Amino acid sequence: MAWLAWAIAGAATVQLAPSPVYVALIIGIAWLIVEVHAPDGPYRRAFPALLAVGVVFALIRVVISALTAHAGIDVLMTLPEVTVPRLLGGFTLGGTVEAGVVLQSLSEGFAIVGMMAVFGAFNAIASHYELVQSSPRAFHELGVITTVALAFVPSTIESVSAVREADRARTGGQSIKRGRILRSIVPVLERGMERAVALSESMDARGFGFAGSTRGDLAAGWCGLGALLALAAAFVALVGRARPAAIGLSVAGIALLVAATAFASGRTRDRKRYRHRRMAGIDWAMVACALTAPLLVGLLGFGGEDSLVWHTTPLHWPTFEPLVALALIPLLVPLTRLPSAARRTDIEMPEPELLPTAAPVAGS
Amino acid sequence: MSAISYAGVSFGYPDGPLALDDVNLEVPAGEILLVIGSSGSGKSTLLRAANGLVPHSTGGRFGGDVVAFGRSTRTHRPRELADVVGFVHQDPEAQFVVDRVEADVAFVLENLGLPEAAMRRRVEEVLDALGIAHLRDRNPATLSGGERQRCAIAGALAAAPDALVLDEPTSQLDPQGAEDVFAAVGRLNADLGTTVLLAEHRLERAAPLADRAVTLSGGRITTAPGPTGAVLADYPGAPSVTRLGRVLGWDPPPLTVRAGRTFAAAMDRHPEPSADAPDPATRGEVMLRAQGIGVALDRRPVLHEIDVEIHRGEVVALLGRNGAGKSTLLRILGGLLASDAGRIDPRPTTAYVPQDPNTLLFASTVRAEVTETLRLLGRHDDGAVNRWLEALGLEDLADHHPRSLSGGQRQRVAIAAVAVGGAELLLLDEPTRGMDAASRHALERAIAQHAREGGAVVLATHDVELAARCATRAIVLGDGEMVASGPAASVLAGSLFAPQVLRVLPPFLTVEAVAAAMERT
């Protein structure tokens, strides 16, 4: 959970200080933390991929705004223009491409990459299952299913490369393009299906869903779904820079629904959890530290610090204020910590000597 | 008291014939019962019925009753039997829910809602019982097959079930992994009295472990449960030491090499090996010559300075532990992977069959699957299709859907589909994984035939019995280097790779050779 707080703090800081200078610093911090803390595995390897996704989004954004936003100054080049019919919005596509607009959207796009870096770092470090364990009872089943589905992604990628190699093997090493999609997709899907069936059998045989759900669970489930939707709405409102009223409304909605969820699931019996990690003092310290970063940056913003946001008209280099960089230091705090106990790094240890008789396992 | 009892159980999958036909079986508490039979004999179905996966998760028509520790599967779903019957599937990859071993072991306990303190204790005990405490923080995806399967058993065992159902737990594992799993199962049975219901094809290790065995064929019990030795005496897929005992009239038939040695020491006269062993000097012309092959994958050196010559008419067995570079060498010879160093000249036409046949199969019938390869190569040759279907004993299955076949049958289809292209050199990667005796015989026949017709075959395999039966030459790889190379008999002799017959009655490699020698005298 401490990592969740770190991720929220990081994301909030990116929002508060979207100037490329500071975003670059935050991406650096996220990268460093992944290098130090992330256990080796598919999620760690997914970190660069997530960054790449962020870059693609950012570039799309640059192209769209270069084509649609026009102010008429610092023109780079002029393209033929089309005005969309009024019914569809009536804006102009093409026309002048302006340096200010391009740089502005580039910097906004870079902020998206920054968000992806923070999210990617969180994804690489936090144990998804632990996160599910900490979620309210009502989300538990849904959460387990989601983590299982996530685990299928790397195995499917592996499967695709094996199938492609098998396809080349069939024709003695040469690859034949015709019909290759079908030849690849069918085995991948069928392998996935067989694996999914085996997994569902294994889960069933291990008592998944043994407890069944009560009416309280169901109520909590619906409230939780509502809260998730409200969260999505709030995110869209934030990214879209909607009016404060809309943001406030969705935040209020989230608060209300989360409270309802907690109330509904609080009335059902407690779910037993194995080695449920409670927040220790050091975790709270980490949360507090991480949250000071956006707080400090926010304070600087109120105090009239104008290097936080980079305005590209008139054209000038983004400015750097050492004070803001200092305010980002709390985000580095997790580096000083040892990896959490539940996520010790994978160290090869020698096979222990086995005792001839194991301790008797207690009957249930 | 019987732990699991089947009373008149019949079952048919939806739209399928009967997979179980009036099965009556009692599994006494504390026993290890071995279920044997060829692929498609109903072993898996029988095991799945023990905790109600059949019929609850499969659907279909179910008759009779299965009672596990007083609970009928008619009224109890698998999740309600999780505390008395643990189930382990043959594919070690497909049964992990959580990406950390320790949490995955605790999964069943959380589902059953045990108090937290009891969970802690149970998990520690189970980790120790299976010797996987050092793996507790690992992601199962990063473990070896044997480690993974032991973790899966721990996941089933955490609930302290009174019975453990293991459906071919070692068919996807290398010999070391299989050894580890069986050692763990034996220890559980001995220490905790856990009842074990075990289905297996490869009986060399499973047979000595079992108290009793039962054979299944066409969904019916063909040999009533009896002492393992007696049941295996007439079974074609018995371990080779047992079949050797059958040929030499040893009674009771030995199940282990040690028992076989005792009999062999008591023999007054050993059979004489025949003198007309094939002379390695008369090998055919060189078909492939690879020199100084070296390759690194992910910046890790996998092969180093490998020289290989393959002659016409040869069957070469490539041996070595997991990760020694067998598959990599095979893929380089097959032209699927470029080597960093060395050269291959001459290079014949090759056909590589991957370890997992499922990566290849996509057509709707076996015949279409085999024909497809020729279509891709722009040829049309029904003769070749029929020849390979026949060589691998697939004529009767030609109109079946490849996905409806057993693992061993699928492997044969994959071999036919790749070999039909007419390549001179066949490269088979671990071809006997999950194969029953019938599939193995068909495969051995096809390999011998291809070599006789002037082709050559390279097998990367853990299966020394296969190597002993069909290889003319053996190469041992260790840590990416060539450790030994020479005639199969001399490489296999005296090494830890020796097949059972060689260990009991040297210098014979196979039961067939002993039988032939006996006939001569």
Side-chain angles (χ1 to χ4, degrees):
Chain A
M1 289 308 270
W3 286 113
L4 190 60
W6 179 85
I8 290 171
T13 316
V14 171
Q15 283 293 330
L16 288 170
S19 168
V21 188
Y22 307 126
V23 172
L25 279 177
I26 292 171
I27 292 177
I29 291 173
W31 197 300
L32 205 62
I33 284 186
V34 168
E35 283 299 317
V36 172
H37 279 289
D40 196 21
Y43 297 113
R44 180 187 187 137
R45 289 194 286 274
F47 180 71
L50 275 173
L51 282 188
V53 169
V55 169
V56 169
F57 270 124
L59 288 180
I60 290 173
R61 201 189 152 109
V62 169
V63 170
I64 289 176
S65 49
L67 287 180
T68 55
H70 313 281
I73 28 180
D74 301 323
V75 175
L76 284 177
M77 56 175 155
T78 309
L79 296 174
E81 59 176 84
V82 186
T83 305
V84 178
R86 260 193 90 89
L87 201 64
L88 292 173
F91 54 87
T92 304
L93 268 181
T96 52
V97 175
E98 294 151 21
V101 172
V102 168
L103 286 176
Q104 184 70 52
S105 56
L106 259 180
S107 97
E108 282 168 14
F110 197 54
I112 296 180
V113 179
M115 292 287 263
M116 289 305 260
V118 171
F119 173 70
F122 170 67
N123 191 47
I125 290 167
S127 152
H128 297 78
Y129 191 71
E130 217 169 275
L131 206 63
V132 167
Q133 293 291 66
S134 322
S135 67
R137 163 91 178 93
F139 298 129
H140 182 77
E141 255 91 35
L142 188 73
V144 170
I145 290 163
T146 315
T147 45
V148 167
L150 273 177
F152 261 75
V153 174
S155 75
T156 305
I157 292 171
E158 212 169 275
S159 184
V160 169
S161 65
V163 164
R164 295 191 77 137
E165 184 179 282
D167 189 53
R168 280 201 298 140
R170 178 173 218 152
T171 45
Q174 75 198 76
S175 63
I176 291 169
K177 293 255 172 12
R178 188 162 41 90
R180 189 167 69 182
I181 306 280
L182 177 76
R183 292 200 304 278
S184 316
I185 284 180
V186 174
V188 169
L189 288 184
E190 288 191 337
R191 265 162 66 118
M193 267 303 287
E194 282 173 7
R195 195 168 272 195
V197 168
L199 184 64
S200 77
E201 284 193 353
S202 168
M203 286 170 76
D204 202 8
R206 289 202 273 157
F208 183 63
F210 176 72
S213 27
T214 60
R215 285 183 58 181
D217 287 344
L218 284 179
W222 283 109
C223 291
L225 189 65
L228 274 181
L229 287 178
L231 186 68
F235 191 72
V236 168
L238 263 176
V239 170
R241 300 193 181 281
R243 277 191 216 103
I247 300 176
L249 197 68
S250 19
V251 168
I254 300 171
L256 198 71
L257 284 161
V258 166
T261 311
F263 177 71
S265 54
R267 296 203 321 187
T268 65
R269 69 202 157 343
D270 193 25
R271 206 194 138 67
K272 293 289 186 292
R273 285 164 192 163
Y274 173 72
R275 285 187 94 169
H276 181 45
R277 244 166 59 77
R278 294 192 176 72
M279 299 275 285
I282 186 155
D283 293 311
W284 287 115
M286 178 172 149
V287 170
C289 265
L291 290 178
T292 49
L295 209 67
L296 286 175
V297 173
L299 281 176
L300 284 171
F302 271 118
E305 175 62 54
D306 54 3
S307 74
L308 292 178
V309 184
W310 183 37
H311 294 287
T312 51
T313 38
L315 279 178
H316 64 92
W317 287 104
T319 46
F320 175 72
E321 184 58 57
L323 213 58
V324 181
L326 282 179
L328 294 181
I329 285 179
L331 284 180
L332 276 168
V333 162
L335 280 183
T336 62
R337 264 185 66 184
L338 290 172
S340 62
R343 274 262 159 182
R344 271 164 287 174
T345 40
D346 289 354
I347 300 168
E348 279 295 344
M349 276 190 279
E351 186 113 359
E353 195 75 22
L354 285 175
L355 297 174
T357 47
V361 177
S364 52
Chain B
M1 183 201 122
S2 94
I4 303 170
S5 71
Y6 295 77
V9 176
S10 296
F11 175 76
Y13 286 98
D15 313 320
L18 279 186
L20 288 180
D21 189 359
D22 193 26
V23 171
N24 290 290
L25 182 67
E26 299 283 326
V27 187
E31 180 177 270
I32 300 185
L33 180 66
L34 178 64
V35 182
I36 50 184
S38 54
S39 300
S41 61
K43 293 195 304 291
S44 277
T45 312
L46 182 80
L47 262 54
R48 280 183 161 62
N51 70 340
L53 285 173
V54 162
H56 288 293
S57 82
T58 53
R61 312 177 302 280
F62 186 80
D65 198 6
V66 179
V67 178
F69 300 94
R71 297 184 209 168
S72 163
T73 61
R74 285 185 163 268
T75 52
H76 290 74
R77 300 172 56 81
R79 64 190 69 157
E80 291 156 330
L81 290 165
D83 56 334
V84 287
V85 181
F87 183 85
V88 177
H89 192 266
Q90 63 172 329
D91 185 355
E93 282 156 42
Q95 40 197 336
F96 289 100
V97 181
V98 191
D99 58 4
R100 238 180 80 228
V101 167
E102 184 180 357
D104 191 77
V105 171
F107 182 70
V108 62
L109 301 175
E110 288 183 329
N111 289 327
L112 296 178
L114 253 69
E116 224 181 305
M119 274 196 228
R120 267 316 289 277
R121 214 185 93 210
R122 197 70 74 67
V123 169
E124 295 302 323
E125 285 167 356
V126 168
L127 290 177
D128 278 343
L130 287 153
I132 53 170
H134 60 299
L135 305 174
R136 63 193 307 157
D137 288 319
R138 297 275 297 268
N139 181 338
T142 63
L143 303 178
S144 76
E147 288 171 333
R148 253 187 252 184
Q149 197 63 297
R150 278 188 292 157
C151 293
I153 293 177
L157 202 70
D162 303 296
L164 201 53
V165 176
L166 305 166
D167 186 10
E168 296 184 29
T170 66
S171 69
Q172 309 289 315
L173 308 183
D174 58 276
Q176 183 57 48
E179 193 95 49
D180 290 346
V181 167
F182 281 132
V185 170
R187 203 163 55 230
L188 288 172
N189 175 264
D191 295 347
L192 309 180
T194 311
T195 311
V196 178
L197 190 56
L198 171 72
E200 204 38 79
H201 279 313
R202 302 289 311 280
L203 299 171
E204 282 86 5
R205 287 179 185 79
L209 197 68
D211 297 311
R212 291 195 305 162
V214 58
T215 62
L216 220 59
S217 175
R220 288 173 166 277
I221 290 184
T222 43
T223 315
T228 315
V231 171
L232 281 179
D234 306 319
Y235 185 67
S240 34
V241 66
T242 312
R243 286 184 294 124
L244 179 70
R246 202 186 301 157
V247 166
L248 296 173
W250 293 342
D251 188 60
L255 290 175
T256 59
V257 169
R258 176 203 283 244
R261 282 219 187 94
T262 317
F263 279 113
M267 281 172 84
D268 0 305
R269 206 168 62 81
H270 281 216
E272 288 293 318
S274 67
D276 51 327
D279 183 6
T282 61
R283 295 195 288 187
E285 56 172 305
V286 174
M287 177 190 250
L288 175 147
R289 180 180 292 123
Q291 282 170 315
I293 298 291
V295 73
L297 301 176
D298 292 334
R299 279 171 291 177
R300 196 175 59 86
V302 177
L303 290 176
H304 182 67
E305 288 284 320
I306 303 274
D307 301 323
V308 188
E309 259 182 30
I310 312 276
H311 299 250
R312 284 190 193 282
E314 266 193 332
V315 179
V316 180
L318 209 53
L319 305 166
R321 79 177 78 78
N322 269 358
K326 302 192 298 294
S327 291
T328 309
L329 179 57
L330 223 52
R331 284 159 64 208
I332 289 176
L333 296 183
L336 293 170
L337 193 71
S339 61
D340 299 339
R343 59 197 201 96
I344 299 182
D345 183 52
R347 189 197 273 276
T349 51
T350 57
Y352 168 79
V353 184
Q355 228 176 73
D356 183 356
N358 296 330
T359 54
L360 200 69
L361 307 178
F362 76 100
S364 56
T365 66
V366 169
R367 178 178 290 277
E369 193 72 67
V370 179
T371 314
E372 176 70 18
T373 309
L374 288 179
R375 204 179 62 77
L376 287 176
L377 293 169
R379 282 192 271 141
H380 183 83
D381 185 357
D382 275 343
V385 173
N386 286 330
R387 204 165 60 244
W388 277 102
L389 286 179
E390 196 203 307
L392 286 157
L394 292 167
E395 311 100 310
D396 298 338
L397 303 172
D399 297 323
H400 283 59
H401 195 290
R403 296 266 160 189
S404 69
L405 304 178
S406 75
Q409 290 166 335
R410 285 185 200 188
Q411 186 80 49
R412 273 147 64 200
V413 175
I415 294 172
V418 172
V420 74
E424 299 164 288
L425 178 61
L426 280 186
L427 306 161
L428 310 181
D429 197 350
E430 213 59 69
T432 52
R433 247 182 17 159
M435 272 197 177
D436 62 358
S439 282
R440 288 164 60 98
H441 284 141
L443 173 71
E444 284 165 14
R445 255 203 336 269
I447 290 175
Q449 184 183 339
H450 183 73
R452 229 181 7 256
E453 287 166 1
V457 183
V458 181
L459 310 155
T461 188
H462 287 300
D463 186 347
V464 284
E465 304 292 335
L466 175 77
R469 292 167 64 90
C470 48
T472 53
R473 202 150 59 86
I475 294 173
V476 180
L477 289 183
D479 203 19
E481 291 180 5
M482 201 131 110
V483 176
S485 165
S490 63
V491 171
L492 291 175
S495 77
L496 283 173
F497 286 114
Q500 286 190 327
V501 174
L502 185 72
R503 294 188 202 195
V504 173
L505 213 60
F508 292 99
L509 284 177
T510 61
V511 178
E512 286 72 17
V514 176
M518 291 293 285
E519 264 172 35
R520 277 197 306 274
T521 52

